[in-house]
Amino acid sequence: MSDTSFEPDVNAAAEQNDVEFDPVCLDVPRIYDSCGAKDCLRDLTIFFTAENQELISRATSVRVTRVNVITAAVDVDAMPFHRGYFSVDETFYFLCCCEVYTGTGALPANITGVAAYSKRVVLYGSDGSVKRFSSGETPAVDPTTLDCCTGYVGSMPTATVQVSSPMALAAGISAVTAPVIVPYVPESVTEFLGGELVAPETQQVSATIGIFSITSLSRDVQLMMPSYDFCMPGKECDDRDDDPCEAFSRIDFPTASFFPPGSGSGGSVAPHQDAPMDGKW
């Protein structure tokens, strides 16, 4: 073991007041506007490859067991007549794992399909008319950012979308009553599925999915920030190879898992008298 101490001088840091710092200039993304959403996406059509869609055509029932966001497309465009505001177009691609039943008593077949959902939000992104260039980069010429008459068009802010793990709320099979159009799906998604998606002709699977998302617009700016010291590690890396049973013995007993909180005013139910109150045996 090394004798080098990584512990910071806590006492020296505590003695610093609000004026004892070094100002530093940082180039960081600043969020100008953001919004959160709780969306219940009703009756999204799930699209499958030709082989799996043939199975759907013979299915009697279906259950969506798991949903994940496999990828998303995010585009930003300036709002006309609303200077400083931008529209953010978001398209989510959900990977849906389904259990398909084709008859009474038959074992379900596990197949995977894709559902897509698009939405638009409007946020304030401020104005910007600068172009950024960095050493070591050779940016491509974008004709959309250059106007021969008026000069450079204002630069776009960066849109960021965060999505929680989706929840499969409901699913079912229904007859196709009108032509269904397959949405655009990125090539990486079709490669993952092993083939092109096809439109259902006789039966289709619809799912209701719940998601939480946060959308934000940011720009890179220079900010003056107080700097107290460099970030030194607080401990040395531990390279011990513990016995698995010894490592397990250091884990507290999960009392809360066996005695879930109640709905009373106290917010919890007292554990059994044989269980210790501190969560340890």
Side-chain angles (χ1 to χ4, degrees):
M1 299 291 290
S2 173
D3 294 333
T4 303
S5 176
F6 291 93
E7 292 295 334
D9 191 348
V10 179
N11 294 329
E15 292 175 357
Q16 291 180 334
N17 54 40
D18 293 339
V19 297
E20 291 180 346
F21 59 82
D22 295 328
V24 295
C25 188
L26 301 178
D27 190 356
V28 295
R30 174 189 172 183
I31 297 177
Y32 281 85
D33 200 3
S34 63
C35 64
K38 176 183 178 182
D39 296 317
C40 183
L41 315 179
R42 295 181 180 274
D43 300 329
L44 295 181
T45 301
I46 303 177
F47 295 89
F48 302 90
T49 59
E51 180 182 358
N52 290 336
Q53 182 58 45
E54 182 180 352
L55 186 64
I56 294 297
S57 302
R58 298 183 286 106
T60 58
S61 63
V62 65
R63 185 172 74 95
V64 176
T65 59
R66 187 171 64 255
V67 180
N68 292 313
V69 179
I70 186 172
T71 188
V74 182
D75 295 317
V76 182
D77 196 9
M79 291 289 295
F81 311 113
H82 291 79
R83 187 177 181 88
Y85 285 84
F86 299 83
S87 62
V88 182
D89 294 308
E90 311 166 7
T91 301
F92 303 104
Y93 297 95
F94 301 99
L95 191 67
C96 305
C97 302
C98 306
E99 288 184 351
V100 180
Y101 299 83
T102 56
T104 304
L107 294 176
N110 296 313
I111 61 175
T112 303
V114 172
Y117 171 73
S118 298
K119 63 179 294 186
R120 170 177 289 185
V121 299
V122 177
L123 295 173
Y124 177 75
S126 188
D127 292 328
S129 58
V130 298
K131 299 180 71 68
R132 296 173 60 92
F133 301 97
S134 301
S135 60
E137 298 181 358
T138 306
V141 176
D142 186 0
T144 62
T145 63
L146 182 63
D147 190 312
C148 295
C149 299
T150 61
Y152 286 108
V153 179
S155 59
M156 294 292 183
T158 300
T160 302
V161 180
Q162 302 177 68
V163 187
S164 65
S165 297
M167 294 178 288
L169 303 177
I173 293 181
S174 60
V176 177
T177 58
V180 180
I181 300 177
V182 180
Y184 168 77
V185 177
E187 184 178 354
S188 58
V189 177
T190 57
E191 290 179 353
F192 177 82
L193 295 176
E196 295 290 336
L197 302 179
V198 298
E201 297 180 354
T202 58
Q203 290 193 134
Q204 64 181 354
V205 178
S206 300
T208 299
I209 300 173
I211 61 171
F212 296 90
S213 63
I214 296 178
T215 305
S216 61
L217 284 182
S218 63
R219 290 183 182 274
D220 289 338
V221 297
Q222 289 76 40
L223 295 179
M224 185 71 70
M225 303 291 292
S227 173
Y228 292 96
D229 202 349
F230 290 101
C231 297
M232 295 296 294
K235 62 180 181 179
E236 189 174 357
C237 297
D238 190 355
D239 57 355
R240 294 179 301 173
D241 187 11
D242 290 337
D243 178 83
C245 289
E246 181 183 351
F248 179 74
S249 66
R250 294 197 296 267
I251 301 177
D252 293 339
F253 189 87
T255 305
S257 299
F258 290 89
F259 304 98
S263 58
S265 59
S268 62
V269 176
H272 191 271
Q273 60 180 357
D274 293 337
M277 298 300 294
D278 58 359
K280 299 180 181 180
W281 292 89

